[in-house]
Amino acid sequence: MSGHLRVVSSDAPIRTHDHIDFHFEDDKVLRFNDPRRFGSVHWCTHAVHEHPLLKRLGIEPLREEFDGTYLFEQSRKRNIAVKNFIMDAHVVVGVGNIYANEALFLAQIRPTTAAGSISRIRFERLADSIKLILQRAIDAGGTTLRDFVGFDGNPGYFAFELDVYGRAGMPCIHCGKRLKGIVLGQRQTVYCPACQRR
């Protein structure tokens, strides 16, 4: 997202959106900054994976177990739009709005298609696309649209590789047809009506 952790001297001035410091013996602190307030900090005295906010989370998308068969099985009898389905953290974690748009475009699946109507083969293509998009974004240092910076203070350069997100009304890079922008699940959604037929 847009927050970050940084190690600073304990007397370093507090900046806007600095929310918590973890103090170390060497007069350093690990400072948590979270402008959009998506993060949270919890003290656990039991196994972390048993915390109520974590124990129902879905699979990590870069794990080997995440594949089309997994998505296919999770999607049965689900009428939810496939974009909302892959952004549901109870199904798979870490597929945010930008990456969902890009992966669906790469897999040639329309974001509004009901998840339960997608075949296992098309889910294989989607799982592969999610992995590829996420790995490309990691390699590029993330996606900076506003204020995100990586651990080294540099912006993420994946924004320069986006094929559909933020490009509504512009020509598709594959067919030239105008990309369509809609709101789906209260999130900006962009797709190509020609390349992503269903």
Side-chain angles (χ1 to χ4, degrees), residues 145-179:
L145 298 178
R146 280 182 248 151
D147 59 358
F148 170 80
V149 292
F151 69 92
D152 56 1
N154 290 319
Y157 293 102
F158 191 65
F160 298 111
E161 298 181 38
L162 298 176
D163 292 331
V164 290
Y165 183 82
R167 299 187 66 240
M170 297 172 73
C172 172
I173 63 164
H174 292 306
C175 72
K177 188 167 177 81
R178 190 178 300 270
L179 296 174

mmCIF file of all heavy atoms in Angstrom, residues 145-179:
data_model
loop_
_atom_site.group_PDB
_atom_site.id
_atom_site.type_symbol
_atom_site.label_atom_id
_atom_site.label_comp_id
_atom_site.label_asym_id
_atom_site.label_seq_id
_atom_site.Cartn_x
_atom_site.Cartn_y
_atom_site.Cartn_z
ATOM 1 N N LEU A 145 1.782 5.531 -7.666
ATOM 2 C CA LEU A 145 0.811 6.407 -8.312
ATOM 3 C C LEU A 145 0.761 7.754 -7.602
ATOM 4 O O LEU A 145 0.584 8.780 -8.219
ATOM 5 C CB LEU A 145 -0.581 5.766 -8.310
ATOM 6 C CG LEU A 145 -0.686 4.451 -9.087
ATOM 7 C CD1 LEU A 145 -2.079 3.874 -8.979
ATOM 8 C CD2 LEU A 145 -0.310 4.657 -10.551
ATOM 9 N N ARG A 146 0.916 7.744 -6.281
ATOM 10 C CA ARG A 146 0.913 8.987 -5.513
ATOM 11 C C ARG A 146 2.150 9.096 -4.643
ATOM 12 O O ARG A 146 3.094 9.774 -4.987
ATOM 13 C CB ARG A 146 -0.352 9.062 -4.653
ATOM 14 C CG ARG A 146 -1.559 9.515 -5.439
ATOM 15 C CD ARG A 146 -2.783 9.625 -4.561
ATOM 16 N NE ARG A 146 -3.699 8.579 -4.975
ATOM 17 C CZ ARG A 146 -4.559 7.989 -4.214
ATOM 18 N NH1 ARG A 146 -4.654 8.309 -2.945
ATOM 19 N NH2 ARG A 146 -5.349 7.062 -4.669
ATOM 20 N N ASP A 147 2.119 8.406 -3.497
ATOM 21 C CA ASP A 147 3.180 8.638 -2.514
ATOM 22 C C ASP A 147 3.969 7.390 -2.127
ATOM 23 O O ASP A 147 4.797 7.426 -1.245
ATOM 24 C CB ASP A 147 2.587 9.264 -1.252
ATOM 25 C CG ASP A 147 1.509 8.404 -0.603
ATOM 26 O OD1 ASP A 147 1.192 7.336 -1.150
ATOM 27 O OD2 ASP A 147 0.986 8.814 0.432
ATOM 28 N N PHE A 148 3.748 6.278 -2.784
ATOM 29 C CA PHE A 148 4.460 5.053 -2.413
ATOM 30 C C PHE A 148 5.940 5.161 -2.760
ATOM 31 O O PHE A 148 6.312 5.600 -3.835
ATOM 32 C CB PHE A 148 3.863 3.839 -3.136
ATOM 33 C CG PHE A 148 4.701 2.601 -2.977
ATOM 34 C CD1 PHE A 148 4.636 1.851 -1.819
ATOM 35 C CD2 PHE A 148 5.592 2.203 -3.965
ATOM 36 C CE1 PHE A 148 5.426 0.715 -1.651
ATOM 37 C CE2 PHE A 148 6.388 1.073 -3.813
ATOM 38 C CZ PHE A 148 6.289 0.338 -2.650
ATOM 39 N N VAL A 149 6.773 4.748 -1.827
ATOM 40 C CA VAL A 149 8.203 4.575 -2.105
ATOM 41 C C VAL A 149 8.630 3.248 -1.500
ATOM 42 O O VAL A 149 8.042 2.771 -0.539
ATOM 43 C CB VAL A 149 9.085 5.717 -1.534
ATOM 44 C CG1 VAL A 149 8.816 7.022 -2.262
ATOM 45 C CG2 VAL A 149 8.905 5.879 -0.042
ATOM 46 N N GLY A 150 9.661 2.663 -2.080
ATOM 47 C CA GLY A 150 10.180 1.395 -1.588
ATOM 48 C C GLY A 150 11.059 1.596 -0.373
ATOM 49 O O GLY A 150 11.258 2.715 0.103
ATOM 50 N N PHE A 151 11.652 0.501 0.111
ATOM 51 C CA PHE A 151 12.499 0.555 1.300
ATOM 52 C C PHE A 151 13.698 1.475 1.098
ATOM 53 O O PHE A 151 14.241 2.017 2.053
ATOM 54 C CB PHE A 151 12.983 -0.852 1.665
ATOM 55 C CG PHE A 151 13.966 -1.423 0.685
ATOM 56 C CD1 PHE A 151 15.325 -1.258 0.877
ATOM 57 C CD2 PHE A 151 13.528 -2.096 -0.440
ATOM 58 C CE1 PHE A 151 16.237 -1.765 -0.030
ATOM 59 C CE2 PHE A 151 14.437 -2.611 -1.354
ATOM 60 C CZ PHE A 151 15.789 -2.441 -1.149
ATOM 61 N N ASP A 152 14.097 1.671 -0.150
ATOM 62 C CA ASP A 152 15.263 2.498 -0.442
ATOM 63 C C ASP A 152 14.905 3.955 -0.724
ATOM 64 O O ASP A 152 15.758 4.761 -1.080
ATOM 65 C CB ASP A 152 16.025 1.922 -1.637
ATOM 66 C CG ASP A 152 15.149 1.776 -2.876
ATOM 67 O OD1 ASP A 152 13.946 2.143 -2.828
ATOM 68 O OD2 ASP A 152 15.654 1.280 -3.899
ATOM 69 N N GLY A 153 13.613 4.307 -0.564
ATOM 70 C CA GLY A 153 13.173 5.681 -0.799
ATOM 71 C C GLY A 153 12.848 5.985 -2.249
ATOM 72 O O GLY A 153 12.394 7.080 -2.568
ATOM 73 N N ASN A 154 13.045 5.030 -3.139
ATOM 74 C CA ASN A 154 12.754 5.237 -4.550
ATOM 75 C C ASN A 154 11.314 4.855 -4.863
ATOM 76 O O ASN A 154 10.754 3.956 -4.229
ATOM 77 C CB ASN A 154 13.694 4.401 -5.425
ATOM 78 C CG ASN A 154 15.107 4.917 -5.379
ATOM 79 O OD1 ASN A 154 15.337 6.117 -5.399
ATOM 80 N ND2 ASN A 154 16.068 4.008 -5.317
ATOM 81 N N PRO A 155 10.729 5.506 -5.869
ATOM 82 C CA PRO A 155 9.371 5.135 -6.266
ATOM 83 C C PRO A 155 9.370 3.775 -6.940
ATOM 84 O O PRO A 155 10.401 3.285 -7.404
ATOM 85 C CB PRO A 155 8.983 6.234 -7.259
ATOM 86 C CG PRO A 155 10.278 6.714 -7.812
ATOM 87 C CD PRO A 155 11.282 6.578 -6.685
ATOM 88 N N GLY A 156 8.187 3.159 -7.001
ATOM 89 C CA GLY A 156 8.039 1.912 -7.741
ATOM 90 C C GLY A 156 7.791 2.224 -9.203
ATOM 91 O O GLY A 156 7.012 3.118 -9.526
ATOM 92 N N TYR A 157 8.453 1.514 -10.079
ATOM 93 C CA TYR A 157 8.387 1.835 -11.496
ATOM 94 C C TYR A 157 7.405 0.985 -12.295
ATOM 95 O O TYR A 157 7.323 1.114 -13.509
ATOM 96 C CB TYR A 157 9.792 1.738 -12.106
ATOM 97 C CG TYR A 157 10.695 2.812 -11.556
ATOM 98 C CD1 TYR A 157 11.637 2.519 -10.578
ATOM 99 C CD2 TYR A 157 10.572 4.129 -11.986
ATOM 100 C CE1 TYR A 157 12.446 3.515 -10.051
ATOM 101 C CE2 TYR A 157 11.373 5.125 -11.466
ATOM 102 C CZ TYR A 157 12.314 4.815 -10.500
ATOM 103 O OH TYR A 157 13.102 5.800 -9.970
ATOM 104 N N PHE A 158 6.627 0.118 -11.629
ATOM 105 C CA PHE A 158 5.677 -0.707 -12.371
ATOM 106 C C PHE A 158 4.573 0.145 -12.990
ATOM 107 O O PHE A 158 3.942 -0.277 -13.959
ATOM 108 C CB PHE A 158 5.087 -1.806 -11.473
ATOM 109 C CG PHE A 158 4.302 -2.835 -12.243
ATOM 110 C CD1 PHE A 158 4.932 -3.659 -13.162
ATOM 111 C CD2 PHE A 158 2.950 -2.974 -12.057
ATOM 112 C CE1 PHE A 158 4.216 -4.609 -13.887
ATOM 113 C CE2 PHE A 158 2.220 -3.915 -12.774
ATOM 114 C CZ PHE A 158 2.852 -4.735 -13.687
ATOM 115 N N ALA A 159 4.356 1.346 -12.481
ATOM 116 C CA ALA A 159 3.344 2.239 -13.062
ATOM 117 C C ALA A 159 3.614 2.490 -14.544
ATOM 118 O O ALA A 159 2.682 2.734 -15.314
ATOM 119 C CB ALA A 159 3.294 3.558 -12.300
ATOM 120 N N PHE A 160 4.869 2.418 -14.950
ATOM 121 C CA PHE A 160 5.218 2.648 -16.350
ATOM 122 C C PHE A 160 4.919 1.433 -17.230
ATOM 123 O O PHE A 160 5.010 1.518 -18.449
ATOM 124 C CB PHE A 160 6.699 3.030 -16.483
ATOM 125 C CG PHE A 160 7.027 4.305 -15.772
ATOM 126 C CD1 PHE A 160 7.812 4.288 -14.635
ATOM 127 C CD2 PHE A 160 6.532 5.517 -16.217
ATOM 128 C CE1 PHE A 160 8.112 5.469 -13.962
ATOM 129 C CE2 PHE A 160 6.826 6.701 -15.559
ATOM 130 C CZ PHE A 160 7.617 6.671 -14.431
ATOM 131 N N GLU A 161 4.580 0.316 -16.602
ATOM 132 C CA GLU A 161 4.304 -0.909 -17.348
ATOM 133 C C GLU A 161 2.819 -1.260 -17.366
ATOM 134 O O GLU A 161 2.443 -2.322 -17.871
ATOM 135 C CB GLU A 161 5.089 -2.075 -16.742
ATOM 136 C CG GLU A 161 6.591 -1.893 -16.797
ATOM 137 C CD GLU A 161 7.335 -3.084 -16.217
ATOM 138 O OE1 GLU A 161 6.887 -4.236 -16.426
ATOM 139 O OE2 GLU A 161 8.353 -2.864 -15.545
ATOM 140 N N LEU A 162 1.962 -0.420 -16.815
ATOM 141 C CA LEU A 162 0.540 -0.734 -16.733
ATOM 142 C C LEU A 162 -0.098 -0.726 -18.123
ATOM 143 O O LEU A 162 0.042 0.236 -18.874
ATOM 144 C CB LEU A 162 -0.181 0.259 -15.813
ATOM 145 C CG LEU A 162 0.289 0.264 -14.356
ATOM 146 C CD1 LEU A 162 -0.433 1.353 -13.567
ATOM 147 C CD2 LEU A 162 0.076 -1.099 -13.706
ATOM 148 N N ASP A 163 -0.809 -1.791 -18.437
ATOM 149 C CA ASP A 163 -1.461 -1.904 -19.743
ATOM 150 C C ASP A 163 -2.882 -1.355 -19.740
ATOM 151 O O ASP A 163 -3.351 -0.862 -20.766
ATOM 152 C CB ASP A 163 -1.486 -3.371 -20.193
ATOM 153 C CG ASP A 163 -0.097 -3.901 -20.511
ATOM 154 O OD1 ASP A 163 0.772 -3.100 -20.922
ATOM 155 O OD2 ASP A 163 0.117 -5.117 -20.348
ATOM 156 N N VAL A 164 -3.595 -1.473 -18.604
ATOM 157 C CA VAL A 164 -4.982 -1.004 -18.577
ATOM 158 C C VAL A 164 -5.290 -0.056 -17.416
ATOM 159 O O VAL A 164 -6.028 0.914 -17.600
ATOM 160 C CB VAL A 164 -6.001 -2.180 -18.563
ATOM 161 C CG1 VAL A 164 -6.020 -2.896 -19.894
ATOM 162 C CG2 VAL A 164 -5.745 -3.151 -17.430
ATOM 163 N N TYR A 165 -4.768 -0.326 -16.238
ATOM 164 C CA TYR A 165 -5.143 0.482 -15.070
ATOM 165 C C TYR A 165 -4.824 1.955 -15.313
ATOM 166 O O TYR A 165 -3.725 2.306 -15.735
ATOM 167 C CB TYR A 165 -4.429 -0.001 -13.808
ATOM 168 C CG TYR A 165 -4.870 0.777 -12.589
ATOM 169 C CD1 TYR A 165 -6.038 0.434 -11.927
ATOM 170 C CD2 TYR A 165 -4.160 1.881 -12.154
ATOM 171 C CE1 TYR A 165 -6.469 1.167 -10.833
ATOM 172 C CE2 TYR A 165 -4.584 2.619 -11.069
ATOM 173 C CZ TYR A 165 -5.750 2.256 -10.414
ATOM 174 O OH TYR A 165 -6.183 3.000 -9.343
ATOM 175 N N GLY A 166 -5.813 2.819 -15.059
ATOM 176 C CA GLY A 166 -5.637 4.261 -15.231
ATOM 177 C C GLY A 166 -5.651 4.718 -16.681
ATOM 178 O O GLY A 166 -5.371 5.873 -16.971
ATOM 179 N N ARG A 167 -6.000 3.822 -17.612
ATOM 180 C CA ARG A 167 -5.950 4.159 -19.038
ATOM 181 C C ARG A 167 -7.325 4.123 -19.699
ATOM 182 O O ARG A 167 -7.427 3.980 -20.914
ATOM 183 C CB ARG A 167 -4.996 3.200 -19.763
ATOM 184 C CG ARG A 167 -3.548 3.271 -19.262
ATOM 185 C CD ARG A 167 -2.610 2.441 -20.123
ATOM 186 N NE ARG A 167 -2.540 3.023 -21.457
ATOM 187 C CZ ARG A 167 -2.887 2.383 -22.579
ATOM 188 N NH1 ARG A 167 -3.348 1.151 -22.539
ATOM 189 N NH2 ARG A 167 -2.792 2.980 -23.749
ATOM 190 N N ALA A 168 -8.402 4.260 -18.929
ATOM 191 C CA ALA A 168 -9.752 4.240 -19.510
ATOM 192 C C ALA A 168 -9.853 5.295 -20.607
ATOM 193 O O ALA A 168 -9.381 6.416 -20.463
ATOM 194 C CB ALA A 168 -10.804 4.488 -18.432
ATOM 195 N N GLY A 169 -10.471 4.906 -21.716
ATOM 196 C CA GLY A 169 -10.648 5.816 -22.846
ATOM 197 C C GLY A 169 -9.480 5.830 -23.816
ATOM 198 O O GLY A 169 -9.584 6.359 -24.924
ATOM 199 N N MET A 170 -8.367 5.244 -23.432
ATOM 200 C CA MET A 170 -7.194 5.185 -24.303
ATOM 201 C C MET A 170 -7.244 3.903 -25.136
ATOM 202 O O MET A 170 -7.982 2.972 -24.812
ATOM 203 C CB MET A 170 -5.923 5.240 -23.455
ATOM 204 C CG MET A 170 -5.789 6.542 -22.677
ATOM 205 S SD MET A 170 -4.411 6.531 -21.502
ATOM 206 C CE MET A 170 -3.050 6.644 -22.630
ATOM 207 N N PRO A 171 -6.452 3.821 -26.201
ATOM 208 C CA PRO A 171 -6.487 2.613 -27.032
ATOM 209 C C PRO A 171 -5.819 1.420 -26.359
ATOM 210 O O PRO A 171 -4.815 1.563 -25.676
ATOM 211 C CB PRO A 171 -5.733 3.019 -28.297
ATOM 212 C CG PRO A 171 -4.933 4.219 -27.936
ATOM 213 C CD PRO A 171 -5.616 4.877 -26.773
ATOM 214 N N CYS A 172 -6.384 0.243 -26.585
ATOM 215 C CA CYS A 172 -5.814 -1.010 -26.101
ATOM 216 C C CYS A 172 -4.470 -1.226 -26.789
ATOM 217 O O CYS A 172 -4.340 -1.009 -27.999
ATOM 218 C CB CYS A 172 -6.764 -2.164 -26.410
ATOM 219 S SG CYS A 172 -6.084 -3.801 -26.063
ATOM 220 N N ILE A 173 -3.483 -1.679 -26.038
ATOM 221 C CA ILE A 173 -2.152 -1.888 -26.607
ATOM 222 C C ILE A 173 -2.124 -3.068 -27.581
ATOM 223 O O ILE A 173 -1.203 -3.182 -28.378
ATOM 224 C CB ILE A 173 -1.087 -2.113 -25.504
ATOM 225 C CG1 ILE A 173 -1.382 -3.384 -24.709
ATOM 226 C CG2 ILE A 173 -0.966 -0.904 -24.609
ATOM 227 C CD1 ILE A 173 -0.217 -3.882 -23.898
ATOM 228 N N HIS A 174 -3.154 -3.929 -27.526
ATOM 229 C CA HIS A 174 -3.184 -5.094 -28.415
ATOM 230 C C HIS A 174 -4.036 -4.865 -29.664
ATOM 231 O O HIS A 174 -3.597 -5.152 -30.767
ATOM 232 C CB HIS A 174 -3.686 -6.331 -27.680
ATOM 233 C CG HIS A 174 -2.753 -6.820 -26.625
ATOM 234 N ND1 HIS A 174 -1.436 -7.110 -26.860
ATOM 235 C CD2 HIS A 174 -2.954 -7.058 -25.306
ATOM 236 C CE1 HIS A 174 -0.854 -7.507 -25.741
ATOM 237 N NE2 HIS A 174 -1.755 -7.485 -24.781
ATOM 238 N N CYS A 175 -5.258 -4.354 -29.474
ATOM 239 C CA CYS A 175 -6.183 -4.259 -30.608
ATOM 240 C C CYS A 175 -6.499 -2.825 -31.026
ATOM 241 O O CYS A 175 -7.088 -2.610 -32.082
ATOM 242 C CB CYS A 175 -7.468 -5.011 -30.305
ATOM 243 S SG CYS A 175 -8.519 -4.185 -29.074
ATOM 244 N N GLY A 176 -6.171 -1.849 -30.191
ATOM 245 C CA GLY A 176 -6.437 -0.445 -30.524
ATOM 246 C C GLY A 176 -7.818 0.038 -30.148
ATOM 247 O O GLY A 176 -8.099 1.241 -30.219
ATOM 248 N N LYS A 177 -8.711 -0.861 -29.728
ATOM 249 C CA LYS A 177 -10.059 -0.444 -29.321
ATOM 250 C C LYS A 177 -9.964 0.346 -28.020
ATOM 251 O O LYS A 177 -9.085 0.129 -27.202
ATOM 252 C CB LYS A 177 -10.947 -1.670 -29.147
ATOM 253 C CG LYS A 177 -12.409 -1.330 -28.925
ATOM 254 C CD LYS A 177 -13.271 -2.556 -29.069
ATOM 255 C CE LYS A 177 -14.723 -2.257 -28.777
ATOM 256 N NZ LYS A 177 -15.420 -1.655 -29.908
ATOM 257 N N ARG A 178 -10.892 1.271 -27.824
ATOM 258 C CA ARG A 178 -10.878 2.128 -26.641
ATOM 259 C C ARG A 178 -11.139 1.309 -25.370
ATOM 260 O O ARG A 178 -12.094 0.534 -25.306
ATOM 261 C CB ARG A 178 -11.943 3.206 -26.788
ATOM 262 C CG ARG A 178 -11.876 4.300 -25.739
ATOM 263 C CD ARG A 178 -12.942 5.341 -26.005
ATOM 264 N NE ARG A 178 -12.789 5.955 -27.312
ATOM 265 C CZ ARG A 178 -12.068 7.046 -27.554
ATOM 266 N NH1 ARG A 178 -11.436 7.631 -26.558
ATOM 267 N NH2 ARG A 178 -12.008 7.552 -28.761
ATOM 268 N N LEU A 179 -10.271 1.467 -24.373
ATOM 269 C CA LEU A 179 -10.448 0.778 -23.092
ATOM 270 C C LEU A 179 -11.636 1.365 -22.349
ATOM 271 O O LEU A 179 -11.856 2.579 -22.374
ATOM 272 C CB LEU A 179 -9.182 0.909 -22.234
ATOM 273 C CG LEU A 179 -7.922 0.242 -22.782
ATOM 274 C CD1 LEU A 179 -6.722 0.578 -21.900
ATOM 275 C CD2 LEU A 179 -8.092 -1.262 -22.913
#
